[in-house]
Amino acid sequence: MFPKLPPVTQALLIANAAVFLLQMAVGDAALANFMLWPISDGSYDPSSPGFRFLPWQLLTYAFMHGSFSHMLFNMIALYMFGAALEHTWGNKRFLTKEEIGDETISG
């Protein structure tokens, strides 16, 4: 599909597109346990089962996107910079940077 892209960049692009299509098909309510809900946005309700913190959300929310344009621009940035960074840093270090970056940038 993307013959010149390194494997981690390619896998991240495909995974993000697949999760976005799933999100559009089943709706946000079905995937609420995979989204990281900020306390400060006013929608947080600790008594609601769909709005509680779950440990895997630190990983899964990085694949959730609020709109097509949000996903598109994130994937353009990953496509533009991901391959160069992965070639420079290597697969493991690039994937680590992606995960740490996703966890710290959400603030």
Side-chain angles (χ1 to χ4, degrees):
M1 184 172 187
F2 304 106
K4 297 185 189 241
L5 286 177
V8 174
T9 302
Q10 184 176 350
L12 288 171
L13 287 168
I14 292 168
N16 274 282
V19 170
F20 182 74
L21 292 174
L22 177 67
Q23 192 176 352
M24 294 297 104
V26 301
D28 287 343
L31 299 172
N33 284 330
F34 298 100
M35 299 177 182
L36 189 61
W37 296 95
I39 293 174
S40 63
D41 76 349
S43 68
Y44 181 77
D45 178 9
S47 62
S48 173
F51 290 93
R52 66 180 189 276
F53 173 75
L54 300 166
W56 58 78
Q57 291 172 340
L58 293 173
L59 175 66
T60 58
Y61 86 94
F63 295 94
M64 302 291 179
H65 295 89
S67 66
F68 179 75
S69 61
H70 176 205
M71 195 251 336
L72 178 67
F73 288 113
N74 282 357
M75 296 308 98
I76 288 172
L78 179 60
Y79 179 80
M80 288 173 59
F81 303 112
L85 290 172
E86 188 173 348
H87 283 303
T88 302
W89 292 344
N91 299 352
K92 187 175 179 181
R93 188 171 173 201
F94 176 69
L95 186 59
T96 301
K97 178 249 126 326
E98 278 295 308
E99 185 52 35
I100 291 171
D102 289 341
E103 290 173 7
T104 58
I105 204 163
S106 69

